[in-house]
Amino acid sequence: MTSEHEEKKPAFDSEAASSLVKDLRDAFGTGKTRSYEWRASQLRSLLKMLNEREKDIIEALRSDLSKPVLEAYVTEVVMLKSSCEFTLKGLKRWMMPEKVKTTITTFPSSAEIVPEPFGVVLVISAWNYPFMLSIDPVIGAIAAGNAVVLKPSEIAPASSSLLAKLFGEYLDSSAVKVVEGAVPEASALLEQKWDKIFYTGNGKVGRIVLAAAAKHLTPVALELGGKCPVIVDSDINLTVAARRIIGGKWALNNGQACIAADHIITTKDFAPKLIDALKLELEKFFGKDPLISEDLSRIVSSNHFARLTKLLDDDKVSGKIVHGGRRNKDSLKISPTILLDVPEDSLIMNEEIFGPLLPIVTVGNIEESFSVINSREKPLAAYLFTNNKTLKGKFVRNVSAGGLLINDIGMHVRTLS
């Protein structure tokens, strides 16, 4: 209960957002963010922050998602350190003007492309990788010489609070700011005129962001998810494939990752062998009772737990569970779950799962999987397990996705980072 002597924290409304943007425009207007020295100093400060506060970051991830220490370190801390180091290494070169040829009609002129910052940018990040998906776009924004506002996800409150604290301690607070909050705060920010918006999350909110940006003709980068399919051919090392599928589903934040395996497509004849292999390897990964495993992240919130429960309890799929399906509402944990031959019109096949449920769809011939994938919205990633060279070529030629990967899941992100 708040005492009458305590000062209430002022609401972050449209007026506060407008004032914030004005302050940032003033800071950007001084020209300091354009200098190599400022950009490099901020990036070095971020790297220092990641090194000095690694333990705090891992503890926040444990609080929000029960992320295993190794997973938190590899998928968030290490990737961000790598991103900082890579950016610092290339920054001076990226800032240099690029000479371009002129034509005889403009002789003896010269021309060059000069990179310049957008100005004041907004980053709205997601809860599933709350540090990596917050800091990585901020690294890009700073490297390009922008002033930036980060709006972390309120669904990961420990991470959001720590980001606000650490940014205040390590970065130039006149040009890099954090705004915490939920829908009201995000809405107040989106009412403002930005020079660029970067949003990570789902398509529903992505449409809201895009509509708000359109009023000011603000350019937007949307990093959205999708139903990432995994085609599994019979011509594989079954044990290796099963382990990599588990690593790219349940060991990726318990399926709460935009590049995680959403569903498997394989032949009807091969499906039983694949299921047996997955069951065997799952026990090696998470033990006989995954609900008490320290190596399995929990579902982020009761709302997301209820959403996943609804997918499982759908009459069309409740009888299709061949492994798992156990859940603990108190700990917000759902065991790794495999479903076989779920109907195309079921809820689970018509929205991004973003959790530990893995449907298996069967086809008569493995090449039929290409048309199954292409009949749906383009996925963020598509995967194929095979040793058949011809099938690999057909997969690359016929399947369109944000990224394609053969014989593993999620590793292409490490290549791009």
Side-chain angles (χ1 to χ4, degrees):
M1 194 171 183
T2 306
S3 75
E4 56 184 294
H5 299 292
E6 286 183 61
E7 287 188 19
K8 285 187 178 180
K9 188 177 179 181
F12 187 85
D13 53 15
S14 295
E15 186 178 341
S18 177
S19 176
L20 175 72
V21 173
K22 182 184 180 301
D23 290 345
L24 286 170
R25 290 207 183 281
D26 290 344
F28 179 74
T30 66
K32 68 174 178 178
T33 66
R34 293 174 177 267
S35 72
Y36 171 80
E37 290 73 21
W38 184 87
R39 303 184 204 195
S41 71
Q42 296 306 295
L43 294 171
R44 282 193 287 266
S45 292
L46 275 172
L47 192 54
K48 183 183 179 186
M49 178 189 89
L50 293 165
N51 284 317
E52 292 181 349
R53 309 304 286 272
E54 182 182 296
K55 185 180 177 183
D56 295 334
I57 290 169
I58 289 172
E59 284 178 358
L61 291 167
R62 194 74 182 163
S63 173
D64 286 330
L65 290 150
S66 290
K67 274 198 183 182
V69 172
L70 180 61
E71 183 185 343
Y73 179 71
V74 170
T75 62
E76 305 237 26
V77 178
V78 169
M79 289 185 76
L80 285 169
K81 287 181 183 180
S82 237
S83 187
C84 280
E85 289 164 356
F86 174 78
T87 305
L88 279 165
K89 187 177 179 181
L91 182 59
K92 196 166 281 188
R93 185 176 74 255
W94 300 339
M95 290 178 66
M96 290 175 63
E98 177 188 348
K99 291 192 179 298
V100 292
K101 290 182 179 179
T102 56
T103 65
I104 190 67
T105 57
T106 59
F107 180 83
S109 66
S110 63
E112 58 185 17
I113 298 169
V114 180
E116 66 173 18
F118 276 101
V120 179
V121 303
L122 171 65
V123 173
I124 304 175
S125 69
W127 53 262
N128 56 328
Y129 290 87
F131 287 91
M132 200 265 288
L133 294 177
S134 294
I135 297 174
D136 206 36
V138 168
I139 290 170
I142 289 171
N146 298 288
V148 56
V149 173
L150 168 64
K151 164 61 181 71
S153 173
E154 73 282 4
I155 298 173
S159 298
S160 176
S161 175
L162 185 59
L163 278 164
K165 179 184 176 185
L166 295 184
F167 272 40
E169 289 179 13
Y170 284 86
L171 298 177
D172 178 357
S173 59
S174 70
V176 183
K177 295 182 182 290
V178 175
V179 173
E180 290 193 272
V183 174
E185 289 77 12
S187 299
L189 288 169
L190 286 171
E191 287 175 14
Q192 312 309 311
K193 184 184 188 313
W194 303 93
D195 298 305
K196 177 90 175 184
I197 298 174
F198 190 104
Y199 168 75
T200 303
N202 62 58
K204 182 181 177 182
V205 178
R207 289 179 175 87
I208 295 170
V209 171
L210 206 56
K215 294 175 183 176
H216 303 288
L217 295 179
T218 301
V220 179
L222 298 176
E223 198 276 286
L224 308 176
K227 292 186 72 63
C228 301
V230 183
I231 303 170
V232 183
D233 186 23
S234 58
D235 179 21
I236 54 169
N237 181 317
L238 191 50
T239 300
V240 171
R243 288 173 180 168
R244 290 180 180 178
I245 290 167
I246 292 167
K249 176 66 172 181
W250 296 287
L252 267 182
N253 202 15
N254 206 4
Q256 298 171 112
C258 56
I259 56 166
D262 182 272
H263 58 283
I264 287 174
I265 307 173
T266 192
T267 60
K268 190 171 283 291
D269 291 340
F270 189 66
K273 295 177 184 176
L274 177 60
I275 290 167
D276 287 344
L278 287 170
K279 288 179 180 179
L280 183 66
E281 296 304 321
L282 275 168
E283 187 172 323
K284 294 178 184 176
F285 269 68
F286 305 113
K288 291 185 180 296
D289 186 359
L291 293 180
I292 61 171
S293 173
E294 290 291 310
D295 296 317
L296 195 70
S297 300
R298 68 169 171 81
I299 308 307
V300 68
S301 69
S302 55
N303 285 341
H304 283 269
F305 184 91
R307 179 186 63 81
L308 290 164
T309 298
K310 183 179 177 183
L311 296 183
L312 266 184
D313 292 342
D314 179 4
D315 290 340
K316 293 177 180 177
V317 304
S318 56
K320 303 290 185 179
I321 298 171
V322 293
H323 181 74
R326 294 176 58 229
R327 56 199 99 158
N328 185 323
K329 191 175 181 181
D330 294 331
S331 65
L332 295 179
K333 283 204 169 185
I334 298 175
S335 65
T337 302
I338 304 170
L339 306 99
L340 179 62
D341 281 329
V342 294
E344 282 292 318
D345 61 348
S346 59
L347 289 173
I348 204 169
M349 291 308 296
N350 285 279
E351 65 175 72
E352 186 179 6
I353 295 169
F354 226 71
L357 320 180
L358 184 65
I360 296 178
V361 177
T362 59
V363 290
N365 183 297
I366 201 67
E367 292 183 18
E368 291 176 26
S369 56
F370 301 155
S371 58
V372 172
I373 294 169
N374 292 333
S375 67
R376 301 182 180 135
E377 285 190 25
K378 188 178 294 189
L380 183 62
Y383 306 105
L384 168 68
F385 284 85
T386 188
N387 288 314
N388 185 313
K389 189 175 180 180
T390 303
L391 187 61
K392 291 178 185 179
K394 288 181 178 178
F395 173 69
V396 173
R397 287 193 301 273
N398 292 292
V399 173
S400 181
L404 299 177
L405 183 60
I406 297 171
N407 289 333
D408 214 326
I409 293 175
M411 291 301 290
H412 61 304
V413 175
R414 292 293 299 166
T415 306
L416 296 172
S417 65

